Amino acid sequence: MALHETKDARARDAETDVFASALSGQILPKYRMPDDHSPSDVVYELLHNELLLDGNAAQNLATFCTTWSDDGVHRLMNECLDKNMIDKDEYPQTAEIEARCVTILADLWNAPAGTTGTGCSTTGSSEAAMLGGLALKWRWRERRRAAGLPTDRPNLVCGPVQICWEKFARYFDVELRQVPLEPGATGLRPEQLAAHVDENTIGVVAILGVTYTCVYEPVAEIAAELDRIQAERGWDVPIHVDAASGGFVAPFLHPDVVWDFRLPRVASVNTSGHKYGLAPLGVGWIVWRTADLLPADLVFSVDYLGGNMPTFALNFSRPGGEIIAQYYLFLRLGKAGYRRVQQACADTAQYLAREIEATGPFTLLYDGQGALPAVSYRLTDPAGAGFSLYDLSDRLRMRGWQVPSYPLPADREDTVIQRVLIRHGVTRDQIALLVADLRRAVEHLTATPQPVPATEPRPGFHH
Ligand SMILES: *Cc1c(COP(=O)(O)O)cnc(C)c1O
């Protein structure tokens, strides 16, 4: 095509209805970059339509992550699109706001009086877990070296952790000692620790909001057991609390649960800003009890207002908007606002738990009280129900609901459960509609027994 013809064609395209344009009459290029450009409104509309196949995030009851944000967040995210949070020198106010958020979280988690908060933002709890694990490993190695002891076999002890801890262990060469679930248990039990902890244990990870069951592990009892082990064997084993979800729930709904820096043994805590922190996707946080718990040789300096600023991170460039949005939410909601939002979620979760129990074939593992705003349950009689939870997930999916089914971790992998998370933006009315769909699905599946109930996990759900 000659150049002027191409120009004419493009000019015509600009006046054409999006869905009558040349591009919308074709299958989109999928594996090779197209040779030429196309009108932005057409490309936008076509991609927008393709993305509808992802399903509706508001009906995704599998995710812990934020799926609703107010206008203030949308506007600030837009305004911060060009800010790189690592450029502390160019964007000193973003750096300042990050430091304020760390101090706010240290205070929320009862860091010792007089400390300002040692910590940083991350891309999420996974990166925060890597940083927390590295600090534990470094400090254990320093102690061992100082005592002239071998440093080649570090281990980390935990219960049914999220996959990020398995990654930490593999990437950074630490043996992961995952304590199996006892019959009837929904998390690590303190009395199991003695059989797994030894002189090479860099730390114990306690989870505030187990991803499988949504309960809190008993951090205070775990700390007391480690005190006892120290008195008996001399090993001083620190705790890192993975509070990915619970770090923004417990301070507001369960202030009497002692899990944070009130326990001297808790060295560090991580949380996901983009889960119950209510910030948009892409921000997590880690805070150490005191500055000396973060080994100096893990920290690098970057330029900052002519001086320099310590950083500890796995990546370099990263967007600054999520950090600003987090601070906006702290200011916008305050403690009372966070409490009301989380309480509304917890009330809805407890309502759902009552309805599920009343529906018949289910036994609750977690009823939404005392930990995360969520519900988990299993079939009371999996062999006699005539259908599996996987069948039920499929049936609910026909109405757009994403409710995951999956087996519990070892040693309870024979138990398949379903989990529903109630987040900011999931309403009581919406959950009432889910309950109606759930009842219809159970009636259908009971009336039409599944010849071979599906027993395999479907891919793609959050564990
Ligand atoms: C979600 C979650 C993680 C991973 O957090 P991201 O923010 O998704 O990286 C780690 N641990 C627990 C307990 C979680 O719930």
Side-chain angles (χ1 to χ4, degrees):
M1 213 189 279
L3 187 63
H4 69 273
E5 282 170 332
T6 315
K7 269 191 180 153
D8 285 352
R10 271 188 221 132
R12 273 199 308 280
D13 224 29
E15 289 155 22
T16 310
D17 180 278
V18 163
F19 296 102
S21 66
L23 190 63
S24 82
Q26 297 164 21
I27 291 180
L28 290 178
K30 294 197 168 54
Y31 309 111
R32 273 189 60 239
M33 198 185 290
D35 292 330
D36 210 347
H37 64 227
S38 294
S40 63
D41 56 340
V42 176
V43 177
Y44 171 84
E45 228 28 89
L46 295 180
L47 275 182
H48 175 87
N49 271 6
E50 176 161 359
L51 288 170
L52 294 177
L53 291 176
D54 273 341
N56 173 4
Q59 281 185 292
N60 176 2
L61 301 174
T63 186
F64 292 83
C65 294
T66 303
T67 53
W68 182 84
S69 294
D70 72 13
D71 269 356
V73 169
H74 283 276
R75 283 163 55 205
L76 285 167
M77 286 296 285
N78 213 4
E79 287 162 27
C80 294
L81 212 57
D82 53 2
K83 282 188 205 282
N84 188 346
M85 62 73 65
I86 201 72
D87 291 336
K88 314 271 183 194
D89 198 29
E90 285 108 281
Y91 307 112
Q93 219 50 36
T94 298
E96 159 72 18
I97 286 173
E98 179 185 16
R100 285 182 204 164
C101 288
V102 168
T103 307
I104 287 171
L105 287 173
D107 177 62
L108 196 64
W109 298 334
N110 299 294
T115 57
T116 51
T118 300
C120 54
S121 71
T122 58
T123 50
S125 281
S126 303
E127 187 188 7
M130 305 296 145
L131 304 185
L134 281 170
L136 291 177
K137 183 177 173 181
W138 252 241
R139 278 174 35 240
W140 166 83
R141 202 165 53 190
E142 280 165 15
R143 285 196 302 277
R144 299 280 293 175
R145 277 189 186 141
L149 294 166
T151 58
D152 56 335
R153 302 193 55 199
N155 70 68
L156 181 69
V157 174
C158 59
V161 279
Q162 209 263 0
I163 190 143
C164 67
W165 292 101
E166 292 175 35
K167 280 192 188 172
F168 163 72
R170 198 173 311 166
Y171 294 173
F172 297 106
D173 219 3
V174 171
E175 178 199 347
L176 191 68
R177 294 194 177 161
Q178 254 182 302
V179 179
L181 278 179
E182 289 185 338
T186 49
L188 178 66
R189 286 179 171 161
E191 60 274 19
Q192 295 179 285
L193 282 172
H196 295 86
V197 166
D198 63 23
E199 61 181 345
N200 289 318
T201 302
I202 65 171
V204 169
V205 175
I207 316 164
L208 209 69
V210 174
T211 37
Y212 297 87
T213 53
C214 302
V215 303
Y216 296 159
E217 286 183 335
V219 190
E221 285 79 0
I222 288 170
E225 177 64 6
L226 289 171
D227 290 347
R228 197 192 61 75
I229 290 172
Q230 183 176 6
E232 203 177 288
R233 310 296 306 266
W235 309 319
D236 185 4
V237 179
I239 295 176
H240 173 92
V241 183
D242 179 354
S245 310
F248 275 108
V249 177
F252 304 112
L253 296 189
H254 315 109
D256 297 335
V257 174
V258 179
W259 64 274
D260 53 16
F261 295 120
R262 282 168 285 182
L263 299 167
R265 201 169 280 282
V266 171
S268 45
V269 175
N270 71 269
T271 197
S272 297
H274 55 221
K275 291 186 177 175
Y276 288 92
L278 313 181
L281 274 169
V283 65
W285 300 95
I286 179 156
V287 178
W288 283 269
R289 153 185 295 281
T290 47
D292 59 306
L293 295 180
L294 174 56
D297 63 344
L298 285 173
V299 178
F300 290 77
S301 279
V302 296
D303 288 340
Y304 175 60
L305 283 183
N308 53 64
M309 173 106 173
T311 71
F312 182 22
L314 298 183
N315 338 25
F316 192 69
S317 297
R318 177 150 65 79
E322 292 86 341
I323 294 164
I324 308 299
Q326 184 78 79
Y327 186 55
Y328 162 82
L329 286 157
F330 289 166
L331 299 182
R332 156 85 182 97
L333 292 171
K335 289 180 181 167
Y338 269 95
R339 189 173 301 116
R340 279 210 285 271
V341 168
Q342 316 300 32
Q343 188 63 55
C345 292
D347 291 346
T348 298
Q350 289 158 25
Y351 158 79
L352 175 63
R354 290 190 297 273
E355 295 296 319
I356 283 176
E357 200 153 44
T359 298
F362 307 112
T363 298
L364 294 171
L365 266 82
Y366 172 60
D367 64 359
Q369 302 202 39
L372 302 185
V375 180
S376 60
Y377 48 94
R378 61 180 174 82
L379 280 172
T380 308
D381 176 17
F387 65 94
S388 74
L389 290 180
Y390 300 114
D391 296 322
L392 183 58
S393 285
D394 282 352
R395 194 83 201 153
L396 290 172
R397 189 68 188 253
M398 291 171 69
R399 289 274 290 171
W401 303 110
Q402 302 193 44
V403 177
S405 300
Y406 49 85
L408 286 177
D411 282 348
R412 293 194 68 193
E413 60 271 67
D414 292 346
T415 304
V416 174
I417 72 168
Q418 232 164 44
R419 183 193 70 191
V420 175
L421 287 161
I422 309 295
R423 312 177 300 278
H424 195 201
V426 175
T427 64
R428 181 70 66 104
D429 184 62
Q430 198 184 347
I431 291 304
L433 295 172
L434 169 73
V435 167
D437 282 338
L438 183 91
R439 297 225 163 105
R440 270 194 292 270
V442 168
E443 271 166 34
H444 172 87
L445 290 168
T446 315
T448 348
Q450 305 303 293
V452 184
T455 54
E456 284 304 309
R458 309 293 194 267
F461 285 127
H462 301 242
H463 282 204

